[in-house]
Coordinates of all heavy atoms in Angstrom, one line a residue:
Q463 N 85.9 101.5 108.3 CA 86.6 101.6 107.0 C 88.0 102.1 107.1 O 88.9 101.6 106.5 CB 85.9 102.7 106.1 CG 84.5 102.1 105.7 CD 83.7 103.2 104.9 OE1 83.9 104.4 105.1 NE2 82.7 102.8 104.2
G464 N 88.3 103.1 107.9 CA 89.6 103.5 108.2 C 90.5 102.4 108.8 O 91.7 102.2 108.4
F465 N 90.0 101.6 109.7 CA 90.8 100.5 110.3 C 91.1 99.5 109.1 O 92.2 98.9 109.1 CB 90.0 99.8 111.4 CG 90.6 98.5 111.8 CD1 91.7 98.5 112.7 CD2 90.2 97.3 111.5 CE1 92.3 97.4 113.1 CE2 90.7 96.1 111.8 CZ 91.8 96.1 112.7
L466 N 90.1 99.1 108.3 CA 90.3 98.1 107.3 C 91.4 98.6 106.3 O 92.2 97.9 105.8 CB 89.0 97.9 106.5 CG 88.1 96.9 107.1 CD1 86.8 96.7 106.2 CD2 88.7 95.6 107.4
L467 N 91.3 100.0 106.0 CA 92.4 100.5 105.0 C 93.8 100.4 105.8 O 94.8 100.0 105.1 CB 92.1 101.9 104.7 CG 90.8 102.1 103.8 CD1 90.5 103.5 103.7 CD2 91.0 101.5 102.4
A468 N 93.9 100.7 107.0 CA 95.2 100.6 107.7 C 95.6 99.1 107.9 O 96.7 98.8 107.6 CB 95.1 101.2 109.1
G469 N 94.6 98.3 108.0 CA 94.9 96.9 108.1 C 95.3 96.2 106.9 O 96.2 95.4 106.8
S470 N 94.7 96.8 105.7 CA 95.1 96.4 104.4 C 96.6 96.6 104.2 O 97.4 95.8 103.6 CB 94.3 96.9 103.3 OG 93.0 96.6 103.5
F471 N 97.1 97.8 104.6 CA 98.5 98.1 104.4 C 99.4 97.2 105.3 O 100.4 96.7 104.8 CB 98.7 99.6 104.9 CG 100.1 99.9 105.0 CD1 101.0 100.1 104.0 CD2 100.7 100.1 106.3 CE1 102.3 100.4 104.1 CE2 102.0 100.4 106.5 CZ 102.8 100.6 105.4
L472 N 99.0 97.0 106.6 CA 99.8 96.2 107.5 C 99.8 94.7 107.0 O 100.9 94.1 107.0 CB 99.3 96.3 108.8 CG 99.4 97.7 109.6 CD1 98.8 97.7 110.9 CD2 100.9 98.0 109.6
I473 N 98.7 94.2 106.5 CA 98.7 92.8 106.1 C 99.5 92.6 104.8 O 100.3 91.6 104.8 CB 97.2 92.4 105.8 CG1 96.4 92.2 107.1 CG2 97.1 91.2 105.0 CD1 94.9 92.1 106.9
T474 N 99.3 93.5 104.0 CA 100.3 93.5 102.7 C 101.7 93.6 103.0 O 102.7 93.0 102.4 CB 99.8 94.4 101.6 OG1 98.4 94.4 101.6 CG2 100.4 94.0 100.3
L475 N 102.1 94.6 103.9 CA 103.4 94.8 104.4 C 104.0 93.5 104.9 O 105.1 93.1 104.6 CB 103.5 96.0 105.5 CG 104.8 96.2 106.0 CD1 105.7 96.9 105.1 CD2 104.7 97.1 107.3
G476 N 103.2 92.8 105.9 CA 103.7 91.6 106.4 C 103.9 90.5 105.4 O 104.9 89.8 105.4
S477 N 102.8 90.4 104.6 CA 102.9 89.3 103.5 C 104.1 89.5 102.5 O 104.9 88.5 102.3 CB 101.6 89.3 102.6 OG 100.5 88.9 103.5
F478 N 104.3 90.7 102.0 CA 105.3 91.0 101.1 C 106.8 91.1 101.8 O 107.7 91.3 101.1 CB 105.0 92.1 100.1 CG 104.1 91.8 99.1 CD1 102.8 91.5 99.3 CD2 104.6 91.5 97.8 CE1 101.9 91.1 98.3 CE2 103.9 91.1 96.7 CZ 102.5 90.8 96.9
A479 N 106.8 91.1 103.1 CA 108.1 91.0 103.7 C 108.6 89.5 103.6 O 109.8 89.3 103.8 CB 108.0 91.3 105.2
V480 N 107.7 88.6 103.2 CA 108.1 87.1 103.2 C 107.9 86.6 101.8 O 108.9 86.0 101.4 CB 107.2 86.3 104.2 CG1 107.4 84.9 104.0 CG2 107.5 86.8 105.7
L481 N 106.8 86.8 101.2 CA 106.4 86.0 99.9 C 107.5 86.2 98.8 O 107.7 85.2 98.1 CB 105.0 86.3 99.6 CG 103.9 85.9 100.6 CD1 102.5 86.2 100.0 CD2 104.0 84.4 100.8
P482 N 107.9 87.5 98.6 CA 109.0 87.6 97.4 C 110.2 86.9 97.6 O 110.9 86.5 96.6 CB 109.2 89.1 97.4 CG 108.0 89.7 98.1 CD 107.5 88.7 99.1
Y483 N 110.5 86.4 98.9 CA 111.7 85.7 99.1 C 111.5 84.2 99.2 O 112.4 83.4 99.6 CB 112.4 86.3 100.4 CG 112.7 87.6 100.4 CD1 111.9 88.6 101.1 CD2 113.8 88.2 99.7 CE1 112.2 89.9 101.0 CE2 114.1 89.5 99.6 CZ 113.3 90.4 100.4 OH 113.7 91.7 100.3
M484 N 110.3 83.8 99.0 CA 109.9 82.3 99.2 C 110.8 81.4 98.3 O 111.2 80.3 98.8 CB 108.4 82.1 99.0 CG 107.9 80.9 99.5 SD 108.3 80.7 101.3 CE 107.5 82.1 102.0
S485 N 111.0 81.8 97.1 CA 111.8 80.9 96.2 C 113.1 80.7 96.8 O 113.8 79.6 96.7 CB 111.8 81.5 94.8 OG 112.4 82.7 94.7
V486 N 113.8 81.8 97.3 CA 115.1 81.7 97.9 C 115.1 80.9 99.1 O 116.0 80.0 99.3 CB 115.6 83.1 98.1 CG1 117.0 83.1 98.8 CG2 115.6 84.0 96.9
L487 N 114.1 81.0 100.0 CA 114.1 80.2 101.2 C 114.0 78.7 100.8 O 114.6 77.9 101.5 CB 113.0 80.7 102.1 CG 113.2 82.1 102.8 CD1 112.0 82.5 103.4 CD2 114.3 82.1 103.7
L488 N 113.0 78.4 100.0 CA 112.7 77.1 99.7 C 113.9 76.4 99.0 O 114.2 75.2 99.2 CB 111.4 76.9 98.8 CG 110.1 77.3 99.4 CD1 109.1 77.3 98.3 CD2 109.8 76.4 100.6
H489 N 114.6 77.1 98.1 CA 115.7 76.5 97.3 C 117.0 76.4 98.1 O 117.6 75.4 98.3 CB 115.9 77.3 96.0 CG 117.0 76.8 95.2 ND1 117.1 75.5 94.8 CD2 118.1 77.4 94.7 CE1 118.2 75.4 94.1 NE2 118.8 76.5 94.0

Side-chain angles (χ1 to χ4, degrees):
Q463 287 170 343
F465 171 80
L466 279 183
L467 293 173
S470 296
F471 167 74
L472 292 174
I473 286 170
T474 317
L475 177 72
S477 297
F478 276 78
V480 172
L481 297 181
Y483 300 105
M484 196 53 57
S485 59
V486 177
L487 290 171
L488 292 175
H489 178 57

